[in-house]
Amino acid sequence: MLSLLDLRARIATGRLTPAGAVGLVREAIAAREPEVGALVCVDPAPHVAPDGPLAGIAVGVKDIIDTADLPTAMGSAIYAGWRPRADAPVVARLRRLGAVPLAKTTTTPFAFMDPTATRNPRNPGHTPGGSSAGSAAAVAAGMLPLALGTQTGGSVIRPAAFCGVVGVKPSFRLLPTVGVKCFSWALDTVGLFAAGVADAAHALALMTDRPGLDLPATDPGAPRIGIVTQDFCAAPAPEALAALARAAAAAERAGATLRDLALPAPFGEAFACHPTIQDFEAHHALAWEYAHHREALPPHLRAALERAQGIETPAYDAARRVAHHARRGLKDVFGESGVDVILTVSAPGPAPAGLASTGDSRFNRLWTLMGVPCVTLPVDVTAAGLPLGVQVIARFGDDGRALAAARLIERALA
């Protein structure tokens, strides 16, 4: 994989120019894209800034995020060839930092569940996940050092885990969602993919102008980790539990203290409310497409929007109250348990076979609903070469602690 920090170090020492770094990416795309199919389009003549903290870093942008220089088709024929007049703020920020938004990456249509044709670079017979399929696969294939995705259920953490890369879903609204096609305004979160935790932390620190998110060179101290398995939903596969145990053991070797942590009943109730909030808001966010292009919508999305017509406003309001209660309660869980971060599986197991499904988001939805930062990192691979990941979760706004704990585990595993 291409490391953002390695490319920047080579540029800083004069061993590589920003244009040369983009050239390396182009070579990698030419070599891997035909088999992976992670990209919608590539800018044939991008402007490469000569300086800036991310000069020379080519970025993949999920195709529901507006770009002025490239089409934004949202994975749908309805918007084929659509060219926004302006970049989304998150893309504009990357340009100001010197980065090159080089390619649009594939997304499931409108970032829902109908799969793309993108293949998992680790095993092409398996899904890369969704909805940020192209972003995860492009980084995993070594075609891009940084890519943007979005998460409404599990669309950053799960594909990152399936493809064996680092994925970060920051605290809700840490990265702006203006200029991103809305599916659920209470849940949609912009996230990113990178080769390693330090790469992702550096990018997020620059993108948010929060230097404290960048990982220190010195050991930040041993975290107190709570192990969670979500006993209110179906259990993960044995391989996923084994990866969780391996990550926990590595953290303990590195000095972390561990304890098992059971989530109180309100979190199971909140977990069950996620679909009501998501689908009710999607019904409104995609009202124009449903009214005017219903037959052009893919089957899973069309069926979901049809079901959502039956969600009454009182049910939606009740679900929001349950979620709010759980968010407030999560502060108490951290405080009363004495843990700094939570460690859990990133997905129920390895990437499922075939391209008909993007996988199950049941180990992501609650944390998206809570709005808290999540970082997934690869831990192991199955006999079939499929990655297995774990995710680190911290309090709302404590993104730096989640990144630091993930880096500690990553180093211990190495």
Side-chain angles (χ1 to χ4, degrees):
M1 287 186 281
L2 291 169
S3 165
L4 180 156
L5 288 173
D6 174 65
L7 290 172
R8 282 299 307 157
R10 291 161 67 185
I11 291 168
T13 58
R15 290 176 290 151
L16 189 65
T17 65
V22 175
L24 290 177
V25 167
R26 287 190 173 283
E27 291 173 9
I29 289 172
R32 295 301 310 276
E33 171 60 9
E35 62 179 296
V36 177
L39 308 180
V40 178
C41 58
V42 179
D43 192 335
H47 170 70
V48 181
D51 49 35
L54 288 179
I57 299 303
V59 182
V61 180
K62 184 176 179 177
D63 197 30
I64 61 165
I65 303 174
D66 284 351
T67 45
D69 293 348
L70 294 168
T72 302
M74 304 175 213
S76 170
I78 297 169
Y79 287 94
W82 165 247
R83 285 287 288 268
R85 293 287 296 273
D87 287 330
V90 68
V91 176
R93 173 65 178 170
L94 284 165
R95 289 194 201 275
R96 290 197 301 274
L97 293 165
V100 181
L102 181 68
K104 298 305 284 283
T105 57
T106 61
T107 176
T108 61
F110 301 105
F112 194 58
M113 293 169 59
D114 300 270
T116 70
T118 304
R119 293 169 291 282
N120 193 317
R122 308 299 186 188
N123 186 323
H126 291 250
T127 179
S131 60
S132 306
S135 291
V139 172
M143 293 193 285
L144 291 165
L146 181 66
L148 300 181
T150 63
Q151 178 159 313
T152 306
S155 298
V156 169
I157 299 300
R158 189 176 75 261
F162 284 173
C163 293
V165 299
V166 168
V168 179
K169 184 205 76 68
S171 292
F172 187 63
R173 294 290 188 258
L174 186 64
L175 291 172
T177 55
V178 177
V180 179
K181 180 62 174 175
C182 179
F183 196 87
S184 166
W185 54 87
L187 299 168
D188 294 348
T189 309
V190 174
L192 47 87
F193 300 84
V197 177
D199 297 283
H202 186 65
L204 188 63
L206 288 169
M207 292 169 67
T208 61
D209 194 25
R210 288 172 171 83
L213 295 179
D214 213 347
L215 296 174
T218 57
D219 187 348
R224 298 166 298 173
I225 299 175
I227 309 297
V228 169
T229 53
Q230 290 187 194
D231 57 7
F232 46 77
C233 65
E239 304 102 310
L241 287 173
L244 181 62
R246 184 174 181 219
E252 198 165 34
R253 287 196 306 271
T257 57
L258 274 61
R259 59 162 293 186
D260 290 329
L261 186 62
L263 296 175
F267 293 94
E269 296 164 11
F271 171 81
C273 285
H274 176 281
T276 298
I277 295 170
Q278 173 188 271
D279 294 355
F280 180 90
E281 293 185 351
H283 157 53
H284 289 278
L286 297 174
W288 181 84
E289 290 84 357
Y290 185 76
H292 298 283
H293 296 279
R294 190 174 311 177
E295 295 309 310
L297 296 172
H300 290 305
L301 177 58
R302 186 167 64 247
L305 294 178
E306 286 168 355
R307 289 192 302 271
Q309 312 301 308
I311 301 174
E312 301 289 344
T313 303
Y316 168 71
D317 289 342
R320 291 179 65 210
R321 284 192 293 272
V322 170
H324 178 69
H325 178 65
R327 288 188 199 107
R328 292 173 64 90
L330 189 57
K331 298 177 185 177
D332 297 332
V333 168
F334 277 105
E336 294 170 5
S337 66
V339 302
D340 300 309
V341 297
I342 287 169
L343 181 66
T344 188
V345 298
S346 301
L355 301 180
S357 165
T358 61
D360 189 320
S361 66
R362 68 178 182 268
F363 291 103
N364 316 123
R365 295 196 295 266
L366 174 66
W367 311 112
T368 307
L369 184 62
M370 294 299 96
V372 293
C374 306
V375 182
T376 183
L377 66 151
V379 172
D380 211 342
V381 292
T382 67
L386 295 167
L388 295 159
V390 297
Q391 61 177 325
V392 178
I393 298 154
R395 293 174 177 87
F396 177 80
D398 210 359
D399 298 67
R401 195 181 298 271
L403 288 159
R407 179 61 170 153
L408 176 136
I409 296 170
E410 183 183 59
R411 283 176 165 166
L413 288 166

